Each structure stands twice: as structure tokens, then as C-alpha cells.
Amino acid sequence: MHEMSIAEGIRGVIEDAAKANSFSRVTTLRLEIGRFAGVEKHALEFAFDVVMRGSPAEGAELQIIDIPGKALCYDCAETVEIEHRLDPCPNCGGGKLLAQGGEEMRIKDMEVL
């Protein structure tokens, strides 16, 4: 379950930010996760709760913002939103697509005290 290591990385970012910016508690953390990032959201939520114990983010609300998958269609030259990497173009039905977004994962922001 790589979601546990993701949560550990998030904890490190939070602890570094708490030291650098002199805050003691995170109340809300917003993550942007792309559709193709390969992250199981329920597993990440569980891992977040476990890993944040004893940290400034213990008890913080985790809000996950879904980022759609996007691809450039070489057949119609449009950037389109797709559900799965191997989906055809929803505009023209073409199969020559290059993924352009949906793999990202980042902390958007956090509310702190």
C-alpha cells in the first residue's frame, strides 16, 4: 500500500512547514489528486489518519480534490477529458491520444492555527 508512504511524505511536508512558519496545528489539508495518479483515496484517508497521530495534523480534515484526466487527441487536435488512459477520444472516437494531465498529486493548501 503506497498510500502509507504518501501519507508519511505529507507528514514530513507538514512538519517542515510548521517549523518554518511557526504554527502548531493543521485543521484542514486539501490535496489535489489526478485521476491517473494511481492513488486509492479510501486507503489514503485511512493512512492519513494513522500517520498523522502525534503530528500537527492529528485530527485534521483531509479534503481530496479530483483532477480530471486529460489527453491530446492527434486525430482531431483537441484536448479532451477522459476517464481511463486507453479511452478513445470522446469527440471523434480516435485512438491516438497523449495524456496531458491527471497524474499530478500535490498539497493545494492547508488551514492552520
Side-chain angles (χ1 to χ4, degrees):
M1 168 160 65
H2 74 285
E3 286 79 3
M4 189 67 76
S5 62
I6 292 170
E8 289 169 349
I10 292 169
R11 180 181 173 138
V13 170
I14 290 169
E15 289 174 340
D16 290 346
K19 287 177 190 169
N21 297 290
S22 302
F23 62 83
S24 60
R25 188 161 186 277
V26 176
T27 58
T28 304
L29 180 83
R30 281 181 275 285
L31 287 179
E32 294 180 327
I33 300 178
R35 187 171 291 151
F36 305 143
V39 175
E40 174 55 48
K41 291 178 209 159
H42 294 295
L44 180 58
E45 290 167 346
F46 173 78
F48 182 84
D49 288 340
V50 171
V51 170
M52 295 306 146
R53 291 181 188 154
S55 80
E58 182 172 358
E61 177 187 3
L62 175 63
Q63 295 178 358
I64 297 176
I65 301 163
D66 293 317
I67 304 296
K70 292 187 180 179
L72 172 64
C73 176
Y74 286 118
D75 293 327
C76 69
E78 294 290 327
T79 299
V80 295
E81 191 172 310
I82 53 175
E83 283 288 320
H84 306 283
R85 287 184 183 273
L86 299 177
D87 283 354
C89 176
N91 290 349
C92 71
K96 299 176 194 164
L97 288 101
L98 176 65
Q100 298 283 301
E103 296 176 343
E104 56 270 71
M105 184 179 75
R106 62 183 157 256
I107 297 173
K108 180 177 181 172
D109 60 22
M110 56 183 140
E111 295 175 16
V112 300
L113 299 174

